[in-house]
Amino acid sequence: MSGVREARENLGTRLRELRKNAILNGQQLADRCGWHPSKVSRIEHGRQTPTENDIRDWCAATDSTLQIPDLIASVRNINAAYLEWKRILANGHTRRQQQAIEWEAGTRLQRWYETELVPGLLQTRRYAEAVLRACIAMVDGPDDLDAAVDARMARKAVLSEGVHRFSFLLAEQCLYTTVGDDDVMVEQLTSLLELDNPRVVLGIIPRDAKFRYPTTNFVVFDRRMVQVETVAAELTVTQPREIDLYEKTFQALSASAIRGEASRALITAALQRRTRRPG
């Protein structure tokens, strides 16, 4: 679970900084907390997730109790990410799509950044089927392809209901990643060209755009939650400090995006490449 490991390592780095700021070595911190010194090392290097009580003890020992709420939020995020991964493996992809309907229905503004694929809410049925088929093949879980595709298509109703708004940022690569075959891609790219929804803003980030910040794909739900996909897990971020960073990253990426006729020209170029291939 690369995403959970990264989050654990980031938490360990923050805790190490608190220890060093308190001018304590690992042995001294362990003595104050009543721990074996190896526990300090495991936590700081991301090999062990501290408990909420561990966080309280660490902050008390380093005179940094004001950091407790923020650090406990990080621990809860790590634990939630692990449980979500286990749930997906056990119950297949259908439940995940159904859960997305609940999240999206309760969100006024969704901001998506995608590096490789067309976002789920903009996918055609055949494109979604090819994506989910590939995902199911990689994950040791039930084969619920038909039900999962139906649920993903049901999610698209949110695009025309209520007061929802959507901002999609697609790296230009999303237009070229082959999902299914050329016929599937032609249908998907044509659907993007025909997109006409006042609730939706679509931006394409050209492949030669200036580097902004290293990131994977993510979705920001209002200002309350961010979902980040990794190879083995989906992280749910609720910590305000971290949400702020994702919002800042989205704004920076948005500044590189082109929209309107300029973005349509990029989509058209990708479409023409598919239609001109020899039979």
Side-chain angles (χ1 to χ4, degrees):
M1 292 182 62
S2 58
V4 172
R5 182 172 60 251
E6 180 181 357
R8 210 159 40 206
E9 290 172 353
N10 290 339
L11 175 60
T13 297
R14 294 177 61 197
L15 292 172
R16 184 185 305 113
E17 290 172 353
L18 293 180
R19 174 179 61 78
K20 289 184 175 180
N21 289 341
I23 317 178
L24 296 174
N25 60 36
Q27 179 68 61
Q28 291 169 327
L29 176 64
D31 290 343
R32 291 191 181 189
C33 294
W35 301 341
H36 191 280
S38 64
K39 180 174 180 178
V40 174
S41 178
R42 290 195 304 271
I43 290 174
E44 290 189 350
H45 289 88
R47 296 193 295 270
Q48 176 178 334
T49 302
T51 66
E52 294 184 18
N53 283 335
D54 289 341
I55 292 295
R56 294 186 181 96
D57 290 343
W58 194 295
C59 289
T62 57
D63 194 24
S64 51
T65 55
L66 292 178
Q67 301 295 321
I68 290 175
D70 194 59
L71 292 168
I72 285 180
S74 293
V75 170
R76 291 175 179 174
N77 283 341
I78 292 169
N79 292 333
Y82 177 79
L83 292 174
E84 173 68 8
W85 177 71
K86 297 293 287 184
R87 185 193 61 74
I88 289 174
L89 289 183
N91 299 322
H93 286 72
T94 303
R95 175 54 188 152
R96 171 61 183 80
Q97 298 300 314
Q98 293 169 340
Q99 190 173 57
I101 293 175
E102 300 171 12
W103 291 328
E104 290 160 356
T107 303
R108 293 178 64 93
L109 173 62
Q110 289 185 51
R111 287 165 288 178
W112 292 58
Y113 171 62
E114 291 286 346
T115 61
E116 192 173 14
L117 298 174
V118 172
L121 286 178
L122 300 181
Q123 292 176 4
T124 63
R125 184 177 188 87
R126 289 203 298 165
Y127 187 100
E129 181 178 351
V131 170
L132 289 169
R133 180 183 292 111
C135 292
I136 289 171
M138 288 292 291
V139 176
D140 184 16
D143 184 350
D144 57 345
L145 178 62
D146 291 342
V149 174
D150 287 343
R152 175 161 287 188
M153 292 299 99
R155 287 172 57 189
K156 299 180 71 169
V158 75
L159 294 172
S160 57
E161 295 176 345
V163 293
H164 308 290
R165 293 183 296 119
F166 307 86
S167 180
F168 296 100
L169 293 178
L170 281 64
E172 189 177 357
Q173 176 60 42
C174 298
L175 308 178
Y176 290 92
T177 302
T178 299
V179 174
D181 55 24
D182 281 347
D183 288 343
V184 171
M185 292 303 301
V186 166
E187 182 181 61
Q188 179 63 72
L189 293 170
T190 300
S191 177
L192 290 180
L193 278 177
E194 295 175 348
L195 181 64
D196 183 17
N197 187 331
R199 305 166 184 263
V200 174
V201 176
L202 175 64
I204 309 294
I205 301 175
R207 56 192 172 190
D208 60 353
K210 182 179 179 180
F211 169 76
R212 297 293 182 176
Y213 194 73
T215 182
T216 59
N217 55 313
F218 61 88
V219 186
V220 184
F221 295 80
D222 291 326
R223 298 200 71 253
R224 59 185 173 83
M225 179 175 73
V226 178
Q227 288 180 342
V228 186
E229 291 187 355
T230 70
V231 170
E234 181 178 76
L235 295 177
T236 300
V237 177
T238 57
Q239 191 174 61
R241 178 182 58 82
E242 295 183 1
I243 291 175
D244 287 344
L245 182 56
Y246 278 101
E247 286 193 307
K248 184 177 180 180
T249 301
F250 189 89
Q251 291 170 0
L253 292 167
S254 184
S256 297
I258 58 177
R259 299 172 177 81
E261 288 304 314
S263 66
R264 288 175 58 82
L266 289 183
I267 299 171
T268 299
L271 178 59
Q272 290 174 343
R273 182 181 177 189
R274 296 285 175 178
T275 56
R276 289 175 180 171
R277 288 189 179 186

